[in-house]
Structures are given as C-alpha cells and as structure tokens.
Amino acid sequence: MTDPSQLDPEYDRHGGFPEFEPADPGPGFGRFIAAMRRVQDFAVSADPDRDTWETAADRAEELAALLGPFEAAEGVGPANRVPNLPGAGSLLMAPYRMTKFQADGVEFTVQFSRFHVGGNSAVHGGVLPLMFDSMFGMVIHATGRPISRTAFLHVDYRNVTPINVPLTVRGWLDRAEGRKAFVKAEMTDPDGKLLAEAHGLMVRLLPGQP
C-alpha cells in the first residue's frame, strides 16, 4: 500500500474525514456488540407476551440512558475501529472477518443472521449493496488511493443469499483513470457458488469536498 499523499498532496484536506485509528475499549465492548447482535436478531424474530415486551422496553430504555452521556463524535467511539472484532465492532455492518487486505485484493468472510432476512429466510437484497459499498472502500484503502466516495454501485443478484452460512466476499481494483477507480467484488458460498457480484465507480474527492 502506497502513501496516498504521494498521489494527492491535498489528501488531508478532503472533507475533513476523521482519522480512524484502531481502538482498544476492553473486553466489555466485544461482549456488548455480541449481545446487541443477538438483540437485533430477537427484535425481528421474538414473539413474547405483552408483559415481556414491556420489560424489554424498560431495559432498552435503561441501556440508552446509561450510554447517552457518553455519546461521542465520529471517529472517537470504538465502533468500526476494533479490527479484531467481527465487523470491526460496528453494528451497521454484518459481522465480517478480514482474511486478506492487500493491494491486489481484499477478502473477508461474513455470516448473515435473522436480523438481515428480507423474506423466506433469504438475506434482504438491500443489505448486499451496503456490504459491497463497504468492500469498495476497503479496496480503495488497501490500494493506497486517496479518499474517495461512491459515484455508482451496481449489484447483480445471481442466487439467493442464505443466513447462518459462512460466505466469502472478494473485492479488487479493476482499473484506475485519474480520479476514477473502477472496483469489482463478488460473494460466494462455501461451495464456491456465486451469490452476487458488484461493480462500481469510486471518485477521489477534491479539496474541500465532504
């Protein structure tokens, strides 16, 4: 990976992006994220009685009150900054695990759960563009290109994406033309069957662009 400032002297001025340095919030954060993922699953699948829902709401409100005073700016909290946790400790992303991060390609494994179901035990189609968009950003970072934003993202759904199955996602830089980076990615199941593939355009930000 090259120093992006060598490609773009204005790199540090693009939109004021915060520096996302790795965080070490302690083991409690990992336990919290794991528990919250289970809560997300139950939030879309549980069917208890009314009293249980009242109790669950009380506890959720207590948790919100506990964490409320500690709300921090982007890039300050540990979410998305703990590489050794699934999804880097972000609930926004499905719990992926990085297996390759090189200039010639990025690869991670991911397993979707009940929270991601759109219907008939299949992952919601809208979840996959989020995953591919994140992969595209990882590819840009791995290749050492300057900060970029997604100009377009196209997804082809080849087969139904299952839950509770470890899947592999691969992404790579197809070609670069000045500020433009054309990126591709694919997702396969354990047998190598193609589930979805994507291609997109990432454009380097100009000075001052958010």
Side-chain angles (χ1 to χ4, degrees), residues 116-160:
H116 305 103
V117 167
N120 201 25
S121 296
V123 174
H124 192 293
V127 173
L128 300 190
L130 169 63
M131 180 196 66
F132 281 127
D133 193 34
S134 295
M135 167 58 85
F136 288 174
M138 295 176 193
V139 170
I140 292 298
H141 185 51
T143 56
R145 289 187 59 82
I147 293 172
S148 304
R149 282 201 181 275
T150 309
F152 73 76
L153 168 64
H154 177 89
V155 178
D156 289 308
Y157 301 88
R158 302 305 186 187
N159 287 284
V160 170

Side-chain angles (χ1 to χ4, degrees), residues 7 12 93 105-106 133 139 145 154 174-176 199:
L7 297 175
D12 293 327
M93 291 295 297
V106 176
D133 193 34
V139 170
R145 289 187 59 82
H154 177 89
D174 185 48
R175 69 184 191 279
H199 65 271

Side-chain angles (χ1 to χ4, degrees), residues 53-201:
W53 278 128
E54 291 290 345
T55 301
D58 289 341
R59 294 183 182 180
E61 290 169 355
E62 290 172 3
L63 179 59
L66 173 67
L67 295 177
F70 302 99
E71 186 173 5
E74 182 183 1
V76 176
N80 202 37
R81 297 199 301 123
V82 189
N84 64 321
L85 290 180
S90 171
L91 291 175
L92 178 64
M93 291 295 297
Y96 66 85
R97 291 276 191 184
M98 192 71 66
T99 55
K100 178 182 177 181
F101 191 83
Q102 301 292 335
D104 64 343
V106 176
E107 180 176 310
F108 60 69
T109 59
V110 65
Q111 184 164 307
F112 298 100
S113 65
R114 182 69 180 272
F115 177 69
H116 305 103
V117 167
N120 201 25
S121 296
V123 174
H124 192 293
V127 173
L128 300 190
L130 169 63
M131 180 196 66
F132 281 127
D133 193 34
S134 295
M135 167 58 85
F136 288 174
M138 295 176 193
V139 170
I140 292 298
H141 185 51
T143 56
R145 289 187 59 82
I147 293 172
S148 304
R149 282 201 181 275
T150 309
F152 73 76
L153 168 64
H154 177 89
V155 178
D156 289 308
Y157 301 88
R158 302 305 186 187
N159 287 284
V160 170
T161 300
I163 63 171
N164 302 323
V165 175
L167 309 174
T168 300
V169 183
R170 301 179 182 87
W172 62 94
L173 177 65
D174 185 48
R175 69 184 191 279
E177 300 174 0
R179 293 173 55 210
K180 299 178 180 180
F182 295 89
V183 186
K184 292 185 176 181
E186 64 180 18
M187 180 174 63
T188 56
D189 72 4
D191 296 324
K193 180 170 67 176
L194 181 64
L195 302 177
E197 55 188 342
H199 65 271
L201 170 61

Side-chain angles (χ1 to χ4, degrees), residues 14-30:
H14 294 168
F17 274 72
E19 292 289 338
F20 286 95
E21 297 293 335
D24 183 16
F29 181 69

